[in-house]
Amino acid sequence: MTNTTHFGYKTVNEDDKVKEVAKVFHSVAAKYDVMNDLMSGGLHRIWKAFTIANAAVRPGMKVLDIAGGTGDLAKAFAKAAGPSGEVWLTDINESMLRVGRDRLLNKGLVTPTLICDAEKLPFPDNYFDRVSVAFGLRNMTHKDVALSEMRRVLKPGGKLLVLEFSKVDQLLQKPYDFYSFTVLPWMGQKVANDAESYRYLAESIRMHPDQETLKTMMQAAGLERVQYYNLTAGVAALHTGIKM
């Protein structure tokens, strides 16, 4: 019997979701950064800067950036870890990973890049000081499995950082819904010639666990001292947890 899951608001076979998510990111890779700036009014840069500050990467640390896309976090981590550190940029989508790798190289940063499924991480236990995933967890089919894998590869005392869209404050819900389901697809069509991928983005955000649910999932995966920070009234949230 084939298991099903959600792709936005649609119910699809699990294998089909992987293919559909891949299509989305193959389509938007070239315009990904431009659209992020337009969609968030540049706020995504502030959210990522907050995440980078919370990671507190130091020289010599080993860091894994999962679903790292165009490399914003990996770039900052590589600079902080220095030549004695080890920072991996990974993504399941080759188009996104190529953009991220090229951006790092253009900045003079030579760091390992790998096509990688977060639910089956090809790294040993207790290897990384930090693991991050920014705006990637909601696209994963088995989020509980992915979170467990992230914990597995962390060293004792290591920190997981999950930056993701979340549940917005109730006062902003109506204008946020209008923006998400009307403005975003229009903008996606005009800039990236792809309205459907940005309609999926809006739907995937609504289907993602809210702040408290994700906190509980991280605790269930074995992480401790789990906490979260609401960013821009809950449009995004940073969750952190420690492997003890």
Side-chain angles (χ1 to χ4, degrees):
M1 184 175 179
T2 304
N3 292 326
T4 59
T5 186
H6 59 80
F7 174 74
Y9 288 161
K10 300 175 186 175
T11 299
V12 297
N13 293 336
E14 288 184 351
D15 291 344
D16 290 338
K17 176 173 181 174
V18 174
K19 296 172 187 174
E20 291 299 321
V21 170
K23 286 181 188 176
V24 167
F25 286 96
H26 284 310
S27 173
V28 304
K31 297 286 187 179
Y32 187 76
D33 289 325
V34 173
M35 280 298 296
N36 276 351
D37 280 330
L38 288 173
M39 286 188 304
S40 70
L43 283 171
H44 76 102
R45 298 182 182 275
I46 297 173
W47 302 334
K48 289 172 182 174
F50 182 75
T51 302
I52 290 161
N54 268 270
V57 173
R58 300 186 298 277
M61 278 190 170
K62 294 179 179 178
V63 184
L64 172 62
D65 187 23
I66 295 172
T70 55
D72 287 341
L73 267 61
K75 178 176 68 175
F77 294 153
K79 289 179 178 178
S84 61
E86 183 181 326
V87 177
W88 285 79
L89 171 63
T90 71
D91 202 294
I92 198 170
N93 187 277
E94 183 179 359
S95 298
M96 294 292 292
L97 192 62
R98 285 181 183 275
V99 173
R101 179 201 61 190
D102 291 348
R103 285 187 64 193
L104 289 170
L105 289 173
N106 288 340
K107 294 292 184 180
L109 297 169
V110 180
T111 192
T113 58
L114 181 69
I115 296 174
C116 175
D117 183 347
E119 296 177 19
K120 303 171 187 174
L121 293 174
F123 299 103
D125 297 355
N126 308 315
Y127 191 78
F128 292 101
D129 298 285
R130 301 285 186 271
V131 174
S132 66
V133 54
F135 305 114
L137 184 65
R138 75 180 186 284
N139 297 310
M140 297 174 192
T141 304
H142 304 104
K143 297 175 181 62
D144 54 342
V145 175
L147 289 169
S148 294
E149 277 289 274
M150 294 174 203
R151 180 193 177 278
R152 177 184 67 78
V153 301
L154 274 171
K155 294 177 182 177
K159 179 186 279 190
L160 171 63
L161 302 104
V162 181
L163 176 63
E164 188 54 89
F165 293 112
S166 201
K167 186 172 178 60
V168 73
D169 187 276
Q170 190 62 39
L171 291 173
L172 295 178
Q173 191 65 61
K174 286 187 177 180
Y176 184 59
D177 283 347
F178 174 79
Y179 177 76
S180 299
F181 292 105
T182 304
V183 178
L184 270 190
W186 176 84
M187 196 182 298
Q189 183 62 40
K190 292 295 183 183
V191 177
N193 196 32
D194 185 351
E196 283 304 310
S197 290
Y198 289 92
R199 190 168 289 110
Y200 161 72
L201 169 65
E203 293 177 0
S204 70
I205 293 169
R206 299 317 188 279
M207 297 301 290
H208 186 67
D210 64 17
Q211 290 91 326
E212 283 293 330
T213 303
L214 181 53
K215 177 180 178 179
T216 300
M217 291 174 67
M218 289 174 66
Q219 291 169 332
L223 292 152
E224 300 187 32
R225 291 163 53 187
V226 178
Q227 56 187 326
Y228 62 84
Y229 307 88
N230 278 324
L231 307 174
T232 316
V235 172
L238 172 66
H239 284 69
T240 64
I242 306 295
K243 177 177 178 176
M244 304 301 285

